[in-house]
Amino acid sequence: MEHALHLAAKHFVEEVAPTPASGVNWFIQLADDSDEVLKLKGKLYAYFRLSAQEWTELDLMREVLQEPADAQQSFSPTHEPTVWRTIPVLEYLQETLQNMADSTKFSHFSTAIEAGVSNLSKWYGKTDDMDMYFICLALDPNYKVAYAKDKWAHCFFETGM
């Protein structure tokens, strides 16, 4: 029985609903007619159907939100100290999000992305308040001061030293 359920689920994912859009649309199409799905008060599930344009916008939102999610994950899957990653990750995330905000591809979301960059800049500025971020980066044998020397303006590098 379990094998049959696995095959049915695999068929559904690969053939019936290979994308989130098709899966949600398939559910919406069947939910209103099903006795097994809870009924909504005064509404139909069909009211929540998204257009192709709305699905495209959701995909773009996911792409934008994936960047901070990946940045956060870069601190998670390790058992070693990760303080040295703070400055490079924040700088990479700021640059990536700013590029997205400036891109026509994400023009619908540029205001929200800019707000995120502004908030990120505020937190990045907090790294100046504590020397440990730079010290940990400079003490990492893979980076030492080469990262800061390469990425920072000369005056900021000298201040850090």
Side-chain angles (χ1 to χ4, degrees):
M1 178 67 172
E2 188 173 321
H3 182 66
L5 286 175
H6 176 73
L7 289 175
K10 183 178 177 185
H11 169 73
F12 175 79
V13 170
E14 291 175 356
E15 304 295 330
V16 178
T19 66
S22 59
V24 170
N25 288 341
W26 185 78
F27 170 80
I28 288 170
Q29 183 178 348
L30 299 176
D32 289 327
D33 297 331
S34 174
D35 293 331
E36 297 176 29
V37 178
L38 263 107
K39 301 296 178 198
L40 300 174
K41 290 183 180 180
K43 292 185 179 178
L44 298 173
Y45 285 97
Y47 296 163
F48 299 99
R49 175 175 235 113
L50 299 175
S51 69
Q53 177 62 33
E54 290 167 323
W55 280 111
T56 299
E57 289 178 7
L58 280 175
D59 282 340
L60 290 172
M61 284 182 216
R62 185 209 51 77
E63 193 174 333
V64 170
L65 294 172
Q66 191 64 51
E67 293 299 329
D70 289 346
Q72 189 276 329
Q73 284 300 310
S74 74
F75 293 96
S76 298
T78 184
H79 299 288
E80 293 124 23
T82 58
V83 174
W84 66 269
R85 293 182 185 171
T86 303
I87 292 173
V89 167
L90 287 174
E91 288 178 350
Y92 171 81
L93 190 54
Q94 277 184 289
E95 183 179 337
T96 301
L97 290 176
Q98 189 61 61
N99 289 340
M100 287 178 155
D102 295 341
S103 168
T104 57
K105 178 179 178 181
F106 300 102
S107 62
H108 282 71
F109 313 111
S110 62
T111 302
I113 297 170
E114 288 283 354
V117 170
S118 176
N119 191 25
L120 197 56
S121 294
K122 175 184 84 173
W123 289 105
Y124 177 74
K126 300 279 186 192
T127 63
D128 289 342
D129 297 343
M130 298 183 76
D131 293 336
M132 85 171 161
Y133 296 106
F134 179 74
I135 291 169
C136 288
L137 179 62
L139 290 177
D140 185 275
N142 296 312
Y143 288 100
K144 299 192 179 193
V145 295
Y147 176 86
K149 198 172 200 173
D150 180 54
K151 299 284 186 179
W152 296 356
H154 182 72
C155 62
F156 293 125
F157 176 75
E158 289 301 318
T159 302
M161 294 305 292

